[in-house]
Amino acid sequence: MNMTDKEEHSGNKLSLLKALLKILPEDAVLHEKEDLHPYECDGLSAYRKLPMIVVLPDTIEQVQSILRLCYELELPVVARGAGTGLSGGALPLENGVLLSLARFKEIIHIDPKRRIARVQPGVRNLSISQAANQFGLYYAPDPSSQIACTIGGNVAENSGGVHCLKYGLTVHNIQQLKIITMEGELLSIGGSGLDSAGYDLLALMTGSEGMLGVIVEVTVKLLPKPERAQAILAAFDNVVKAGEAVGNIIAAGIIPAGLEMMDKLAIRAAEDFVHAGYPLDAEAILLCELDGTNEEVSEHVARVRDVLHQSGATEVRTAKDEAERLTFWKGRKAAFPAVGRLSPDYYCMDGTIPRKQLPRVLKTMAELSIEYNLPVANVFHAGDGNLHPLILYDANIPGELERTEEFGGKILELCVEVGGTITGEHGVGIEKINQMCVQFNSLELTHFHAVKAAFDEKSLLNPGKAVPTLHRCAEFGAMHVHKGELPFPELERF
Amino acid sequence: MSADLSQQLQQRIQHAYEAKLALQIVGGNSKSFYGRSVAAETLSLAGHSGVLNYEPTELVITARAGTPLKEVEALLNQNGQMLPFEPPAFSEQATIGGTVACNLSGPRRAYAGAARDYLLGCKIINGKGEILTFGGEVMKNVAGYDVSRLMAGAMGTLGVLLEVSLKVLPKPEMELTRLFNCSANDAIEKMHAWSQTPLPISATSFHDSVLSVRFSGAAKAVNAAVNHSGGEINEDAEKYWHDLKEHRLDFFNTDKPLWRLSLASDIESLALENSAADYLYEWGGALRWLKTDSPAAEIQAAMEKIDGHASIFRHTDQVNVFQPLTPALMRIHKNLKMAFDPHNILNPGKLYTEL
């Protein structure tokens, strides 16, 4: 940035500040450097940037006015919930406005009869279930950050959790959204019924990473709490056998509420950390949770135990009471921080694969781990094929972060190669933007850009995230020659 | 029968794009009554068929769009699985592509989800004749906008479906249906009270003072549920739910306009002038079929007030078959249509005159 740019930047900032203070009270506009720091990154803390200004509106009208102003001034806007995202989706832009929805934290209404909750976007995921508990209801998607993450962010990322196989992702559990477009228009998407007229804009908004509109209200579906939940822990002396056991449970006609796998390194880390009683000599463990009516759970527990034994489990334990069930889960839920104790830093990946490809993917990852000299612990939503390899590294060693990212990128490309995807639930954000060039061709990416333009013509909402430009892919492609073919051969090279 | 007609279909669309020639997309021609009529040359998907990938333990099936629905369902059935959204076929010729394009779901929808909920990915040809793939064959996938779900219910106006991948589920071990004689309001009360409990309900309907409730799941659970619920046994339940789904019940035998109302499940009655209107409820009250001669404007205005939507399912010559969109939403719809079909050649006017 040369001097004139800098002067222009501060001049812009000043006039923007003046205009924003006409819309918002003083305490809702942050512009001093020290006040901006808490907003410089989200859960992907390797990427940091200070926004020009942070705004904290608390009414829909304020959000509309802010967006209208930024639309007029052609200033980019990044919306932010709790900032727990893992892909840099809420990374600010230094020439833009960071729009925090943190003050929208009211649960507007719970309707137990219709089994829905109308909430503001800044409401935390877990607090919806807590509020619905008095009616025997809960909100099913439970991302691991559920005590902190907000429902607005969940919708923006289409968050999952450990119960997706049976209960679906965010997209399956919401009914209506209120959003504000970049032009400041309030839209209601979805309806009071189970479907709505026209195109499925509700699906399009879910997982759109803040690129199409700012979510200001969410109506979620609530489910009756299952009468009973029971957990089974099975140990295997071989990871492939554990993977096959998952297929065998499903072949038996049973859809568990949760079906998780951990490999040896993850088991050790979790056991050292929370003492969940995991078998330390196992190469892999499966954690299978069954829920439903009392009778159904009893029947399924017996059948799953049989299947696990027949699949070669070296040990099968059923939680003897609720306390033990929670202990089984404690190890799994603490797996990320537990792995974090083994190493100064870790990098969490998020690919999904067809489950039958697990042996091949694990073998290749082990080879890459040796090649890059970086250990990997594997935590796996085994039921739905969503892998979370955790690469252990030390950011203080020069070049190690870069090597880690390269290794991570290879894992994602491997997921695409075996018929999977680069992200199952964490989103693309800034983190996986290069791998989007591997998963989609230029025509498909062009359509993504057109979808954005259908909502946000000037490309001001969270620009530069989630969908790479064709130019970026061409540059990335120059480094990654796939099967001897340059991707995007139709593009000019500079 | 299995054949890949992608190339021929692509060439025809490329030609139509260049000539700005509208196409009417037809699968098995089983639901041609649904939606607004399209006066255009036919593009038939019927021959483009075949299951491309199905491994029961992966819970995913991928098939070409022209694959007959009954073929897909028979294959799943052999493996103890099903399409969980229980789609209506309306004819032996119905295809899996048409099923997804119309996003119609049957009695299980309120308890298991709709066609769009089970759609994992699709391959399409857009209005320029370009072949594009969105989504995939895995259950968790958040890379890029969810364009594949956008195709569900778009009735071919954004792209011609070539292949679809759907999540499937095991069939329940047992299903039992119980009948209750009650008023409409009592039925609403009962359905809501039960749906707040973990009872394994998989379908509900109400018509002519009879509430039908289907329970599905593990045998022990279903037996326990019917012990709890009481009610009379329906000995011919399988046929009943099938006839309901396929609109073969006497209720549907009518020349009057048949309306499909999607609304909040606990609404007791709509403020319509014509009190003789005849209703059949499904989905715990969230779907209502209505036979009436009342004007479309009146019904759609009443639905707008309660944030629901009404469409004329059969027997119509009205302009607004589907609930009118607000100008702001219509603008986004038009932008999306332009992005996928710039010359407006794919089923123009099938949903709305503007699209």
Side-chain angles (χ1 to χ4, degrees), chain A residues 194-234:
Chain A
L194 294 174
D195 46 33
S196 57
Y199 297 146
D200 196 341
L201 301 186
L202 196 65
L204 203 53
M205 283 304 303
T206 313
S208 62
E209 305 199 18
M211 311 259 296
L212 303 182
V214 175
I215 297 158
V216 290
E217 191 183 299
V218 185
T219 301
V220 303
K221 296 179 187 167
L222 303 172
L223 293 177
K225 284 170 71 179
E227 199 169 77
R228 182 178 152 205
Q230 181 63 274
I232 301 171
L233 188 150

Side-chain angles (χ1 to χ4, degrees), chain A residues 114 165 195 200 355-356 421, chain B residues 55 58 116 141 262 266:
Chain A
R114 292 184 184 177
L165 177 66
D195 46 33
D200 196 341
R355 213 179 329 92
K356 64 177 179 210
T421 174
Chain B
E55 275 172 72
E58 298 280 333
R116 62 84 92 166
N141 183 358
S262 176
D266 62 348

Side-chain angles (χ1 to χ4, degrees), chain A residues 379-418:
Chain A
V379 181
F380 184 34
H381 300 305
D384 49 40
N386 188 196
L387 288 169
H388 290 312
L390 304 168
I391 305 173
L392 311 189
Y393 74 103
D394 183 350
N396 288 322
I397 299 174
E400 195 150 304
L401 171 64
E402 290 72 19
R403 263 196 308 133
T404 302
E405 286 186 327
E406 198 183 310
F407 180 10
K410 288 254 171 86
I411 294 175
L412 298 186
E413 286 159 35
L414 174 65
C415 291
V416 176
E417 202 181 309
V418 302

Side-chain angles (χ1 to χ4, degrees), chain B residues 254-258 274 276 291-293 314-315:
Chain B
T254 175
D255 294 327
K256 276 193 185 181
L258 175 69
N274 184 354
K291 292 186 288 191
T292 180
D293 288 318
R314 288 180 200 260
H315 313 303

Side-chain angles (χ1 to χ4, degrees), chain A residues 211-212 447-459, chain B residues 145 335:
Chain A
M211 311 259 296
L212 303 182
H447 280 73
F448 286 148
H449 288 297
V451 166
K452 175 160 177 62
F455 287 79
D456 174 22
E457 193 192 338
K458 293 187 184 177
S459 196
Chain B
Y145 302 119
N335 291 344

Side-chain angles (χ1 to χ4, degrees), chain B residues 227-274:
Chain B
N227 280 339
H228 173 90
S229 74
E232 276 174 58
I233 296 170
N234 182 345
E235 302 283 7
D236 210 2
E238 202 172 324
K239 181 175 186 314
Y240 171 76
W241 295 111
H242 184 262
D243 287 353
L244 169 60
K245 167 174 84 98
E246 299 296 340
H247 288 189
R248 282 191 205 144
L249 297 177
D250 283 345
F251 173 87
F252 295 102
N253 189 5
T254 175
D255 294 327
K256 276 193 185 181
L258 175 69
W259 284 83
R260 179 188 185 278
L261 312 181
S262 176
L263 71 176
S265 53
D266 62 348
I267 301 278
E268 288 195 352
S269 62
L270 288 175
L272 295 180
E273 274 178 39
N274 184 354

